[in-house]
Amino acid sequence: MRSITTGLALALALMAVGCGDNPEKTVGGVSLRKEFLASNHGDYVSFNNEKLVISAEGDAVQGRNEPNKITLWVTPDLQLELQTERGTRTRIIMPEAIKSLNPRYGDKSEISFSCFFGREGVLEDFVRVPEKKKGLRYDWEMENMMNKGAKYLASFGFAEFAFQEIQEVTKAGVMAEAFPQEDLNRRLETICRDSKPEAYEIQSTFGVISYTATHLEIIPGSRYNSKSYDPYHVVHQRFWVKSQVKEIDLTERFWSVAQGLFLGAERGYNYEKSRYQEWQVDSPREELHFDEKRKTLTWKREELSQSGNCGFELNFAIPRILLRHQEKDHLGYMDAEFKFESGQRFGSTTCRADRMIEQLKANPEKVRLVFKVREDTGNGISVGLIGTDDLSLTLGHALPWSEAEKRLTPKYRDNY
């Protein structure tokens, strides 16, 4: 992998490019590659199911795990059918090891696994970004990352994106356990090669905000480069953590945003004018009251009897906000450690809030309270309660409300 040398090579540079007594300077950064590799080599994962491996010598692999699954099913003629997540079906002659189990028509087993796709390469440099001063000119990549708050730049050279290996194989059922391992490995590898993601964005240059012995905090990739967002935006892409790290505490960051009153809001798209309309308060009105000093949330929804919606009020104490690994549907959400303080519903109409309040009172430990900060649409906050038996209560988007101005106040911040 050391033979791969393409990509951005950053080194200490100070070059005079002007003339006369006051030449214009182009400034690079100070290389810390040796020191970084000594302290921070190892296996990293993101909360977006991605992986980054850096050896002590600087060899690197970056990619992602794609979860997959096959179902083994016994057909009426006692053959074995393999069905993939994509719905493809393949009939095979039943292996003798499975025949000996005397399976019956309709018997099933499952094998869950992940396909790791990635690129091999090398860490070309790890550079401390210089202090920005007037009268100096910077490499365009350096200046772009400096403007976004980067303190360091990590640059890699990577080869082509390709299937690398099968990981995390889990078998459920006696037929799965009995399936001959060598044959199974070949079939799983074929499935992985046939299910390669159509597109995956590999970052060859990371703007690094900070790093410790356990994690790196980076600036997310080019998909989000049209604006500079706050450090609680797309948090699932922001951290590379050592494999043993299970969570990151984001309590302080969350409460820097979650202050005061937020109202459920929506906006439509005006196709005639080819632009989004102004944000409008939802009906029925839905409120999130955050008290950052007491670390509490009051969640209220008005009753709208004509549409069959009951009203409710829920009160929580929230001492900690944690970023953990999430399922695909909840990427970017943060988990709240909470104490359910009280809850009531309004109106005569039955609704999902009734069952959620019952679960919160009886088994609060089985309910998750999750938040997402949506800086991409103006410091919006999404909130969800996830209970058992597919029970959930959600507010997709709430924006800060100004009592003084009597209006929604979506806003963007231009730095980290």
Side-chain angles (χ1 to χ4, degrees):
M1 289 188 287
R2 291 288 301 181
S3 62
I4 302 169
T5 59
T6 59
L8 174 66
L10 298 175
L12 177 62
L14 186 61
M15 301 178 294
V17 296
C19 57
D21 295 333
N22 187 27
E24 188 180 34
K25 307 290 184 180
T26 298
V27 181
V30 178
S31 176
L32 301 176
R33 184 179 186 274
K34 182 177 179 181
E35 295 87 342
F36 176 79
L37 288 176
S39 62
N40 279 80
H41 65 274
D43 292 9
Y44 292 85
V45 293
S46 76
F47 295 96
N48 194 28
N49 210 29
E50 297 174 0
K51 183 177 180 180
L52 175 67
V53 180
I54 307 173
S55 75
E57 293 74 34
D59 294 333
V61 177
Q62 184 193 355
R64 67 175 296 111
N65 281 318
E66 291 285 348
N68 216 318
K69 182 175 68 175
I70 60 172
T71 301
L72 309 179
W73 180 73
V74 179
T75 65
D77 56 355
L78 296 185
Q79 288 191 327
L80 199 60
E81 183 174 278
L82 279 61
Q83 182 172 339
T84 70
E85 285 260 272
R86 292 187 175 184
T88 59
R89 296 182 174 185
T90 304
R91 281 196 175 194
I92 66 171
I93 297 174
M94 188 176 293
E96 290 297 327
I98 296 180
K99 274 186 181 180
S100 65
L101 300 173
N102 296 316
R104 298 179 180 181
Y105 163 55
D107 285 353
K108 289 185 178 181
S109 281
E110 290 184 346
I111 301 173
S112 299
F113 59 103
S114 65
C115 311
F116 180 69
F117 301 90
R119 289 181 175 179
E120 296 180 348
V122 62
L123 174 67
E124 293 177 335
D125 215 341
F126 189 86
V127 176
R128 180 190 292 126
V129 172
E131 182 180 352
K132 194 169 186 178
K133 295 182 179 180
K134 291 183 178 179
L136 296 179
R137 190 173 73 181
Y138 302 88
D139 173 272
W140 71 269
E141 184 93 46
M142 179 78 73
E143 185 162 21
N144 179 42
M145 292 298 182
M146 290 170 72
N147 291 337
K148 293 177 179 294
K151 305 299 182 185
Y152 309 90
L153 250 64
S155 56
F156 295 83
F158 284 115
E160 291 300 314
F161 182 64
F163 168 69
Q164 299 284 328
E165 61 180 336
I166 299 164
Q167 298 182 343
E168 302 167 343
V169 178
T170 303
K171 301 175 181 180
V174 293
M175 291 193 300
E177 294 289 350
F179 204 106
Q181 191 62 48
E182 187 175 344
D183 186 11
L184 178 62
N185 290 343
R186 286 196 300 269
R187 294 183 184 279
L188 296 186
E189 183 172 328
T190 298
I191 292 170
C192 284
R193 293 188 185 279
D194 290 344
S195 58
K196 178 182 175 182
E198 293 181 2
Y200 170 61
E201 181 179 6
I202 294 274
Q203 281 184 251
S204 294
T205 303
F206 293 106
V208 180
I209 299 171
S210 64
Y211 68 97
T212 69
T214 60
H215 69 268
L216 313 176
E217 183 178 357
I218 68 167
I219 296 170
S222 61
R223 289 169 298 206
Y224 301 96
N225 279 354
S226 58
K227 286 183 178 291
S228 297
Y229 298 127
D230 288 336
Y232 26 75
H233 179 63
V234 290
V235 288
H236 57 296
Q237 297 184 13
R238 185 170 292 277
F239 295 94
W240 286 105
V241 299
K242 289 289 183 70
S243 298
Q244 69 271 20
V245 177
K246 302 303 179 185
E247 59 190 27
I248 296 286
D249 192 319
L250 296 180
T251 305
E252 184 177 346
R253 294 189 186 187
F254 177 76
W255 287 107
S256 71
V257 178
Q259 300 178 15
L261 174 62
F262 284 66
L263 297 183
E266 62 181 353
R267 61 175 177 176
Y269 188 79
N270 189 319
Y271 289 95
E272 291 183 1
K273 297 182 179 180
S274 298
R275 63 179 175 85
Y276 283 100
Q277 298 169 348
E278 294 296 318
W279 286 96
Q280 302 292 329
V281 176
D282 283 343
S283 180
R285 178 174 162 127
E286 196 157 0
E287 307 174 358
L288 302 174
H289 292 260
F290 292 101
D291 187 328
E292 69 275 16
K293 292 182 180 179
R294 295 175 58 237
K295 300 294 186 292
T296 60
L297 164 66
T298 298
W299 181 359
K300 295 181 179 180
R301 182 183 295 171
E302 287 185 339
E303 180 190 15
L304 192 63
S305 56
Q306 60 266 36
S307 62
N309 290 316
C310 74
F312 61 82
E313 177 179 322
L314 306 173
N315 293 282
F316 304 90
I318 306 174
R320 296 179 74 204
I321 299 287
L322 302 168
L323 179 63
R324 296 169 173 155
H325 291 277
Q326 304 280 10
E327 60 275 18
K328 187 176 291 186
D329 291 343
H330 290 94
L331 287 178
Y333 278 85
M334 299 168 283
D335 274 287
E337 289 186 353
F338 70 92
K339 178 182 178 182
F340 179 61
E341 297 189 325
S342 63
Q344 57 181 320
R345 50 105 68 223
F346 310 113
S348 58
T349 308
T350 59
C351 63
R352 295 173 69 86
D354 296 316
R355 288 178 56 211
M356 181 58 73
I357 291 172
E358 290 175 4
Q359 284 200 16
L360 285 167
K361 289 180 177 179
N363 298 295
E365 71 282 355
K366 294 184 179 180
V367 179
R368 290 175 58 203
L369 176 61
V370 296
F371 294 97
K372 177 187 279 188
V373 176
R374 304 178 65 105
E375 177 67 14
D376 55 330
T377 51
N379 274 358
I381 290 181
S382 301
V383 59
L385 283 166
I386 306 169
T388 59
D389 302 323
D390 295 324
L391 178 63
S392 65
L393 199 63
T394 62
L395 171 55
H397 207 114
L399 289 176
W401 174 266
S402 169
E403 289 289 358
E405 302 173 47
K406 299 300 178 184
R407 66 179 182 87
L408 297 171
T409 57
K411 62 179 179 178
Y412 304 89
R413 298 183 183 181
D414 291 330
N415 54 62
Y416 285 83

